[in-house]
Amino acid sequence: MSTTTIRTFADAQTLVKELRENPNNIEKRQLARTACSTESWPLLCDARYPDFLADCVNLHGEEEVGANGLPAWVLSAWEISISLQASNASVPPFITSPLNINALLTLRDIIVRKLMPSMASLGVAGRVRFKPDSPDAASCISAATGLLFALSHSLKVHPDLSFLARLRQSGAVEVCTLCWLYTSDLATRVTASISLESLLEPHSQKQQQQSSSSSAFDFSSPPMQHVLRRVVDAAPNASTIVHRCISMLSDGLEKGKMTDGHKLVELCLVQWMTDESCKDSLGRFFVTERQSSGSGDGKNVAEVVVAVVADALAQAEVTGVNWEIVDMGGAVLISLSNVAPLPMGMLIEYIERLEIVQLAANIYTLGPEEGHAQAWSNLVDLLLHCTTCRAPNCHFVRTEAYENALRSKLEQNSLWNNVVHSLLERARTTAGSDGGGSAKAKTIKGQWAVWTQLGKELGLVYKPPPASAPVSTLRGDIDGCWFAECDRHGKVDEETEGKLLRCSACRRAKYCSASCQQK
């Protein structure tokens, strides 16, 4: 067969027959790769082309080198990648047909049973570790990254958590880590990070239920520290991993270099790697390590994450805020504080040097919709917790140094007061349009309650600007007296409720005296 187009089953059958007669014919195998497409994939499956690919991998010797001077698995990795892509893009009803599913099972099985262990033990590991800049190492990285990316996409199209568990144990995490660490090509680096993020991503109970119920394997996801241990073992040291993360996030700050989706993947990857269960083996390096720079003032992960969030917020007047990036940035900062050797010291650094209080204020002022930037609400909740907690077994316990740092930032340029006023104004506008019962209104009320309490715990008092109108729309769900400085403000008890009076004008506001109402 000399054509690169497969139109009939006879064409596919002829091609596979020729391949089996001479499996080492590079030209024929190139022809098959070119002919493999979404349209021809059903015919190739029927002609048992996936079985031929699996047989080729089985025939590889551990140290076998192909005619091109590269490990024999490289050619198989390219072929299987293209096959997976064709399968992923198939349309109903074939995509869920037994023919396609059986082809996937064949390819997935040979990947974890033979191909990935070969790549981890000799192919990628040997060439990348010792000759990271050589052409053959670049070819190994390209082939391995392409296979892992196609496989991660395949797992989204056809989830199977039992297979994912086998994949994690097969050497895929190590191979992906090496590709991510050592490639000099940005596109390959991003592709590797997407694949690595897919391998590390925890899966919910819902996702487990969506996995193949007919699988022969019971899914038992290894604890995160075991999976991350593979990442650490694949790298020269933990510092190398952290420096790569800083480099990737820094690249995202350069205009046009990375898409928002790629930035989000990098943030997700950092969050997986700062899992609290790996606090000592990997997590602490994300807190202490800095990217080397000529001036000696290299940045750590937290600084770059803050810069990424600030950059996303700066797009509010241009393209709009990507709230997913903002939210994931907040989640990473919380994760970093959890793995820090001195959590309260980390929070003080956030406040004094990284200006996260100002960032939180900007987020509240911009007004994300319900569910957006939830991690930042959690971060403000954490700041509030640390103003009150005195539990001896809590890592985030109140200290005088913390209180002073937080109070100073909240008082600076009337930051706390201005945000309270902004939230009150937004609440009034929202109540005017939807009566105050919408999800957006509830989000604003929640933000106002936490932000107000944060200042109140530090002795701050809200002072409305002279020209502002009185605001009552926000406080429909606030307990106790509505006057913020009253001792009964926010209280819920029988005595307080018995003494409260309701405003005769709006029929909503509650006060314990005429004096509180006038104030």
Side-chain angles (χ1 to χ4, degrees):
M1 180 179 176
S2 58
T3 179
T4 59
T5 303
I6 296 177
R7 295 188 175 89
T8 65
F9 171 68
D11 291 339
Q13 197 173 37
T14 299
L15 177 60
V16 174
K17 180 181 177 182
E18 292 175 352
L19 287 170
R20 287 197 174 278
E21 289 173 351
N22 190 0
N24 294 322
N25 188 316
I26 301 299
E27 291 182 3
K28 285 291 182 184
R29 292 179 71 167
Q30 173 62 46
L31 181 67
R33 290 203 305 274
T34 305
C36 185
S37 64
T38 304
E39 293 74 22
S40 66
W41 180 244
L43 301 172
L44 287 169
C45 288
D46 206 11
R48 305 194 66 170
Y49 177 62
D51 292 329
F52 165 75
L53 296 179
D55 291 342
C56 286
V57 176
N58 273 324
L59 291 173
H60 293 166
E62 285 194 354
E63 299 185 29
E64 184 177 343
V65 176
N68 55 7
L70 296 173
W73 62 259
V74 171
L75 180 57
S76 292
W78 284 332
E79 291 171 330
I80 294 176
S81 298
I82 292 171
S83 298
L84 289 173
Q85 291 168 18
S87 172
N88 296 339
S90 297
V91 296
F94 180 75
I95 192 168
T96 55
S97 69
L99 198 60
N100 188 44
I101 298 302
N102 288 335
L104 275 179
L105 290 175
T106 297
L107 296 177
R108 288 179 176 183
D109 178 67
I110 198 63
I111 287 171
V112 297
R113 189 165 50 80
K114 186 73 183 291
L115 190 57
M116 205 58 69
S118 297
M119 295 162 67
S121 63
L122 293 169
V124 172
R127 281 168 167 72
V128 169
R129 280 195 174 121
F130 302 113
K131 300 178 182 178
D133 297 322
S134 65
D136 61 337
S139 296
C140 288
I141 289 174
S142 177
T145 303
L147 176 63
L148 287 162
F149 184 73
L151 194 54
S152 65
H153 185 202
S154 173
L155 282 167
K156 287 180 170 59
V157 177
H158 296 284
D160 186 346
L161 296 181
S162 61
F163 170 73
L164 177 59
R166 294 178 64 203
L167 183 64
R168 283 171 164 174
Q169 300 289 342
S170 70
V173 176
E174 291 90 334
V175 170
C176 200
T177 300
L178 287 168
C179 294
W180 175 66
L181 283 173
Y182 289 109
T183 181
S184 58
D185 178 67
L186 178 61
T188 304
R189 201 165 72 197
V190 169
T191 302
S193 64
I194 292 172
S195 303
L196 186 56
E197 186 252 352
S198 297
L199 285 169
L200 298 182
E201 181 179 7
H203 289 263
S204 65
Q205 185 66 32
K206 181 179 179 182
Q207 288 173 303
Q208 292 185 37
Q209 293 169 354
Q210 291 173 345
S211 65
S212 173
S213 58
S214 61
S215 172
F217 298 89
D218 293 326
F219 175 71
S220 179
S221 176
M224 183 59 74
Q225 62 265 31
H226 292 172
V227 182
L228 289 177
R229 184 73 256 171
R230 295 177 178 276
V231 174
V232 177
D233 290 343
N237 51 61
S239 298
T240 307
I241 295 172
V242 177
H243 291 167
R244 174 57 95 190
C245 287
I246 295 173
S247 173
M248 292 293 285
L249 291 172
S250 297
D251 282 342
L253 292 170
E254 295 186 32
K255 188 174 181 180
K257 197 166 186 178
M258 294 171 67
T259 67
D260 280 357
H262 293 156
K263 296 176 194 175
L264 187 61
V265 166
E266 298 307 322
L267 288 169
C268 288
L269 193 55
V270 174
Q271 191 192 27
W272 303 151
M273 289 187 178
T274 49
D275 185 80
E276 194 168 0
S277 62
C278 298
K279 179 175 181 176
D280 295 327
S281 63
L282 181 59
R284 63 188 176 89
F285 288 94
F286 277 91
V287 178
T288 59
E289 288 294 320
R290 291 181 175 275
Q291 182 72 292
S292 58
S293 66
S295 59
D297 59 350
K299 293 183 177 180
N300 61 21
V301 172
E303 290 174 278
V304 184
V305 170
V306 166
V308 170
V309 172
D311 181 65
L313 294 175
Q315 305 305 313
E317 301 295 330
V318 186
T319 58
V321 177
N322 186 316
W323 289 109
E324 285 187 294
I325 289 178
V326 173
D327 191 46
M328 185 52 67
V332 171
L333 292 174
I334 292 175
S335 295
L336 290 172
S337 68
N338 287 331
V339 299
L342 298 172
M344 289 306 297
M346 189 75 177
L347 286 186
I348 292 173
E349 180 184 5
Y350 282 176
I351 294 167
E352 291 185 333
R353 202 167 60 80
L354 302 187
E355 300 288 352
I356 66 159
V357 177
Q358 180 65 63
L359 272 182
N362 293 346
I363 290 167
Y364 279 8
T365 302
L366 284 170
E369 299 293 330
E370 182 195 20
H372 292 170
Q374 180 57 46
W376 283 88
S377 293
N378 296 340
L379 192 51
V380 175
D381 280 335
L382 177 61
L383 296 178
L384 175 58
H385 168 83
C386 294
T387 64
T388 59
C389 181
R390 297 185 183 277
N393 60 341
C394 181
H395 295 302
F396 296 99
V397 67
R398 179 175 183 168
T399 67
E400 185 176 350
Y402 169 78
E403 283 187 353
N404 292 338
L406 183 57
R407 184 185 296 107
S408 175
K409 287 297 177 182
L410 290 174
E411 289 178 336
Q412 189 174 350
N413 298 321
S414 302
L415 179 63
W416 177 81
N417 203 82
N418 292 340
V419 174
V420 171
H421 181 68
S422 174
L423 289 171
L424 291 171
E425 290 296 324
R426 285 179 54 214
R428 177 194 295 151
T429 303
T430 304
S433 60
D434 60 25
S438 66
K440 181 177 181 179
K442 292 178 181 177
T443 298
I444 297 172
K445 289 177 182 178
Q447 292 172 345
W448 178 87
V450 175
W451 188 263
T452 300
Q453 190 64 25
L454 184 64
K456 189 174 180 181
E457 290 294 337
L458 297 171
L460 304 184
V461 178
Y462 173 61
K463 298 177 180 178
S468 65
V471 179
S472 62
T473 56
L474 180 66
R475 305 183 176 183
D477 295 332
I478 299 302
D479 298 305
C481 179
W482 282 25
F483 177 42
E485 295 180 51
C486 179
D487 291 338
R488 295 192 176 96
H489 176 67
K491 285 192 175 182
V492 183
D493 57 66
E494 187 174 344
E495 181 183 357
T496 297
E497 289 299 317
K499 294 186 177 182
L500 291 178
L501 303 172
R502 191 173 294 276
C503 175
S504 59
C506 70
R507 306 302 301 167
R508 297 177 68 238
K510 295 180 289 183
Y511 302 97
C512 56
S513 67
S515 174
C516 285
Q517 183 180 20
Q518 292 170 2
K519 293 180 181 178

